[in-house]
Amino acid sequence: MNFSRTRVVLALGVAGALLLALIIISPMLMTSIPSFIGDGATDPDCTGGSQSEEASDSAASDIPADYLKLYKEHGEKIGVQWNILAAVGKRETDHGRSELPGVKSGTNSSGAAGPMQFLISTWGGKARIEMSSRFNGYASDGDGDGIGDVYNPADAILGAARMLKRNGAPEQVRRALFVYNRAWWYVDQVEEIAKRYAKSGEVEVPPQADDSCDEPLVEAAPNDVVAKILSFALAQRGKPYLWGGTGPDAFDCSGIIYAAYRTAGLSIPRTTFGQWPFGVKVSQGSEQPGDLVFFNSGPGTGPDRPGHVGMVVSKGQMIEARCRLCGPIKVTGYASRGNIVGFTRPLQNSDVIEQLTRLRKASL
């Protein structure tokens, strides 16, 4: 059976077409093109990442060799558990062996297609997409031919890995599976399959980062002001995302930055749209801790109107409050996210320079 159809049926019934566009049709919930999805695992000590897990005899006998290779390859590349990917492939289409409509061609009654049963709307609006084009969806090129083909296992499995990563895996893997197919019985079934596929009989979940990672990041700050900003931001790790949140219990992407700068006695714009033109632009590669990195993300955003922001904590790493279903606030990698709009340095804004001058005088 192809149970992915519940993603549309339940979402439409619960929240209507608008919420469906934000949660399912729009890739990664808040993103307008798929290259915003973070590729590659990050430092497992401080940011979380996938863990190596040997395949069980059950996995080796049940999963076609080419599929098993793809699950492992793309799971490692993106940073999600390969056995979770494999379990999704088993639950959806028996690793592409199902003869039901939509697996090898066309769609099922709900518009799902391919071995990982993507809704065509979430893939990008059509089954085969040139990866050089702009589109909204998870279409991916897993074999390097320049085409994102929903029926191609290499492409579909890479797209599924990105979707799971976007929505919380590997740390919040059950949450990510729920977004993949919005039913907890589905999550339970996939998890049970994944356990059978792992030699250990478990779904390994990396530990959440703790404050043992903070000290070296803060010590490397270019000055005391940035150190204060980073100390506050890093201390919020593990708290939930809340749209419009500025703390103390939850934040959105720009809210945590706004609050961090306030902790250092500095006032900057509250929203991403306000923060983008506020700071002085810096070129990629010249960014430093305390700078902001912006992404083209979400409805109504574009290359000149970014809708998501994170704060650089070290080269290639940022702290971000990503989205409600993406897991807690954490340090993640930004280097491989292809939809970066740019970097800014709020501390070089003329208003902030005046604020810093007043603070220094007041401290004398």
Side-chain angles (χ1 to χ4, degrees), residues 283-294:
S283 60
Q284 186 164 359
S286 300
E287 71 274 11
Q288 63 185 28
D291 290 348
L292 308 185
V293 52
F294 294 84

Side-chain angles (χ1 to χ4, degrees), residues 17-361:
L18 178 59
L19 186 58
L20 177 65
L22 291 175
I23 293 182
I24 298 180
I25 294 177
S26 177
M28 302 172 303
L29 308 182
M30 291 295 290
T31 305
S32 60
I33 68 173
S35 55
F36 176 60
I37 301 170
D39 289 351
T42 51
D43 177 5
D45 293 330
C46 292
T47 63
S50 64
Q51 296 184 355
S52 176
E53 176 63 85
E54 292 186 45
S56 66
D57 292 341
S58 174
S61 63
D62 184 47
I63 303 172
D66 56 340
Y67 271 72
L68 180 59
K69 180 176 182 290
L70 290 169
Y71 292 136
K72 289 191 170 185
E73 176 184 322
H74 293 320
E76 181 178 359
K77 176 183 179 182
I78 300 303
V80 302
Q81 298 92 334
W82 74 263
N83 53 323
I84 286 289
L85 269 179
V88 170
K90 174 68 174 180
R91 189 66 189 83
E92 295 291 350
T93 67
D94 192 20
H95 310 300
R97 290 179 291 218
S98 171
E99 297 298 328
L100 290 173
V103 177
K104 297 178 176 64
S105 64
T107 66
N108 65 16
S109 60
S110 296
M116 303 303 281
Q117 288 292 275
F118 272 95
L119 296 171
I120 291 297
S121 58
T122 65
W123 185 253
K126 55 184 179 180
R128 300 182 80 251
I129 295 175
E130 292 185 7
M131 299 307 295
S132 60
S133 63
R134 294 180 63 82
F135 58 91
N136 292 337
Y138 286 101
S140 302
D141 179 12
D143 59 5
D145 65 357
I147 301 294
D149 185 345
V150 75
Y151 305 108
N152 181 337
D155 298 349
I157 291 169
L158 177 57
R162 286 175 160 168
M163 186 175 185
L164 292 169
K165 179 71 171 181
R166 171 63 182 90
N167 293 309
E171 301 95 334
Q172 303 290 327
V173 66
R174 285 181 59 83
R175 184 196 302 267
L177 287 169
F178 183 79
V179 177
Y180 199 96
N181 188 339
R182 303 182 72 81
W184 287 113
W185 55 262
Y186 175 90
V187 174
D188 292 339
Q189 289 182 4
V190 169
E191 193 170 36
E192 284 304 309
I193 295 169
K195 289 178 180 179
R196 293 200 299 271
Y197 282 166
K199 193 170 185 179
S200 68
E202 298 293 337
V203 174
E204 295 190 359
V205 177
Q208 294 291 319
D210 58 37
D211 58 11
S212 65
C213 296
D214 295 356
E215 186 174 346
L217 292 173
V218 173
E219 288 180 349
N223 53 59
D224 290 343
V225 174
V226 174
K228 289 181 181 178
I229 292 169
L230 292 185
S231 292
F232 177 87
L234 291 166
Q236 312 315 307
R237 193 168 51 246
K239 293 183 179 180
Y241 174 95
L242 175 66
W243 187 81
T246 56
D249 299 320
F251 300 83
D252 66 10
C253 66
S254 57
I256 187 174
I257 294 167
Y258 171 78
Y261 272 75
R262 282 180 63 89
T263 298
L266 302 174
S267 178
I268 66 171
R270 159 68 186 88
T271 68
T272 304
F273 294 146
Q275 290 173 2
W276 167 241
F278 182 79
V280 172
K281 303 297 188 296
V282 295
S283 60
Q284 186 164 359
S286 300
E287 71 274 11
Q288 63 185 28
D291 290 348
L292 308 185
V293 52
F294 294 84
F295 302 88
N296 177 8
S297 167
T301 71
D304 297 319
R305 187 176 167 81
H308 181 65
V309 62
M311 180 192 297
V312 177
V313 297
S314 65
K315 266 305 171 54
Q317 302 289 313
M318 66 178 173
I319 186 164
E320 65 172 338
R322 197 161 183 176
C323 75
R324 185 175 61 84
L325 294 175
C326 300
I329 295 168
K330 55 188 168 184
V331 174
T332 62
Y334 63 76
S336 60
R337 295 191 188 180
N339 209 28
I340 294 176
V341 174
F343 297 81
T344 70
R345 188 164 296 157
L347 292 177
Q348 288 186 350
N349 176 278
S350 58
D351 288 344
V352 173
I353 291 174
E354 289 183 11
Q355 294 175 48
L356 288 168
T357 300
R358 290 195 298 267
L359 288 171
R360 291 190 186 102
K361 288 181 178 179

